[in-house]
Amino acid sequence: MLSYFAKRTMIGILTLLAASIIVFAVLEVVPGDPARLMLGMNATDDAVRTLQEQMGLNQPLLLRYLSWLGGLLGGDLGRSYTYSVPVFDLITERVAVSLPLALASLAMSTLIAIPVGMFTASNRGKLSDTATMGIAQIGVAIPNFWFALLLVYVFAVTLRLLPAGGFPGWNAGLGAGLKSLILPSIALALPQAAILARITRSALLDVLGEDYIRTARAKGLSNRQILFRHALRNALIPVLTILGLQFAFLLAGTIIIENVFYLPGLGRLVFQAITQRDLIVVEGVVMLLVATVIIVNLLVDLSYAIVDPRLRSQQ
């Protein structure tokens, strides 16, 4: 396990380095001059050149990359061109919204999807299975933003039970903060739950066809015992893979939902930074998300060995 962990960690570091090169190179070819954008289109060329020198934008590309990479390794993500504050502080402030939102959505999705997947797998071919999978297919097809607007109309506008948007901050109290995240969490969780339920059902059906399941039935074990003791654990590997991918998506792919509910999260920060040509912020957020995906994938790979002891011996 130790050698496997070391190997995966090295692969993750190399992936992160490759990602830094790609992210820096791609953003450098994006049209527009941050210095001119900050000063306005009527700024003189001398003023623009002075600001470029202050921001280091006049340095050679390789030198700028190495300087930025050195800052990353030292925990310095630079200063925002637009807000004139450290990028690290901006990201920390926005993570305090996006991370709880992603975790709440993932927990909600998991608590819904796995029981639904188990129920449909144990009732394969029955009307309940067909109806449930039909509803799940609708959940996969419904766009997040449309579902979010529907939730706002029903629970905020009509019933007036939950806020339509905005985030009061955690200083306003844990209850107020969590209340503002309920509708966004539901909007993100239900489509993901539909996907995860279908994956869980498919994985369980594959396992339920194995010889050891037939042996368990021949020994007189009930369907409930077979499902919980034998089938579920052996079907968890594809489920864990999807969970890892969903967490990365929920943390990084919430731009539309955060804009619908006017939440000051990472997605909204990236959207604003792109429109304002604040490339240093975009680079910092993207690298954080890449690092998160790598870490989550590493944890998922390690969890395989915990779920399936056979993989432990192979590693």
Side-chain angles (χ1 to χ4, degrees):
M1 282 291 293
L2 185 60
S3 60
Y4 175 76
F5 178 77
K7 180 180 178 181
R8 295 295 301 174
T9 301
M10 182 57 63
I11 293 174
I13 292 173
L14 294 176
T15 303
L16 197 59
L17 179 61
S20 70
I21 296 173
I22 295 173
V23 169
F24 187 84
V26 169
L27 291 179
E28 282 301 317
V29 301
V30 175
D33 184 355
R36 184 169 293 279
L37 187 62
M38 292 173 63
L39 294 175
M41 298 306 296
N42 296 326
T44 63
D45 293 339
D46 290 338
V48 172
R49 281 193 295 268
T50 300
L51 185 57
Q52 287 175 339
E53 292 176 3
Q54 294 175 356
M55 298 168 63
L57 297 176
N58 61 331
Q59 297 177 352
L61 188 63
L62 179 59
L63 185 60
R64 287 164 56 193
Y65 168 74
L66 293 176
S67 176
W68 174 67
L69 182 61
L72 286 179
L73 296 176
D76 181 12
L77 303 181
R79 294 183 68 86
S80 167
Y81 301 153
T82 303
Y83 303 101
S84 297
V85 297
V87 175
F88 182 82
D89 293 345
L90 275 177
I91 292 177
T92 303
E93 179 183 349
R94 302 304 180 96
V95 165
V97 178
S98 291
L99 184 59
L101 176 60
L103 291 175
S105 303
L106 188 67
M108 192 182 302
S109 170
T110 305
L111 291 175
I112 294 172
I114 292 183
V116 169
M118 294 173 64
F119 171 76
T120 54
S122 61
N123 292 277
R124 181 183 184 182
K126 297 182 180 179
L127 179 61
S128 58
D129 174 32
T130 304
T132 305
M133 284 298 99
I135 295 173
Q137 185 62 42
I138 295 174
V140 173
I142 292 178
N144 275 347
F145 72 91
W146 183 87
F147 187 51
L149 294 174
L150 180 64
L151 290 174
V152 169
Y153 177 75
V154 173
F155 292 99
V157 177
T158 304
L159 300 178
R160 300 182 181 276
L161 296 175
L162 295 168
F167 184 73
W170 296 114
N171 293 332
L174 182 62
L178 292 178
K179 189 176 182 180
S180 66
L181 296 180
I182 292 177
L183 291 183
S185 298
I186 295 174
L188 287 169
L190 290 188
Q192 298 304 311
I195 298 172
L196 187 60
R198 294 176 64 86
I199 297 297
T200 303
R201 176 183 181 274
S202 177
L204 282 171
L205 289 178
D206 289 341
V207 171
L208 290 173
E210 297 289 340
D211 291 338
Y212 65 88
I213 298 295
R214 286 192 286 268
T215 301
R217 286 200 178 97
K219 289 181 178 180
L221 294 181
S222 65
N223 288 334
R224 182 182 179 85
Q225 290 174 319
I226 291 173
L227 197 62
F228 281 93
R229 286 188 189 178
H230 300 285
L232 181 59
R233 182 169 182 173
N234 289 286
L236 279 181
I237 288 182
V239 174
L240 289 172
T241 302
I242 296 300
L243 282 174
L245 294 174
Q246 286 188 341
F247 176 75
F249 166 78
L250 291 171
L251 188 61
T254 58
I255 295 178
I256 296 177
I257 295 299
E258 288 181 0
N259 277 280
V260 170
F261 290 98
Y262 208 73
L263 295 176
L266 283 177
R268 188 169 177 83
L269 176 63
V270 171
F271 177 77
Q272 292 172 337
I274 291 174
T275 57
Q276 295 165 348
R277 197 65 166 71
D278 201 346
L279 299 184
I280 193 71
V281 173
V282 179
E283 291 168 348
V285 174
V286 171
M287 289 307 300
L288 170 67
L289 296 176
V290 170
T292 302
V293 170
I294 291 173
I295 293 172
V296 169
N297 286 338
L298 176 61
L299 294 176
V300 169
D301 287 344
L302 294 177
S303 68
Y304 292 163
I306 298 174
V307 171
D308 193 342
R310 295 172 298 178
L311 297 178
R312 207 176 306 161
S313 60
Q314 294 174 7
Q315 294 164 5

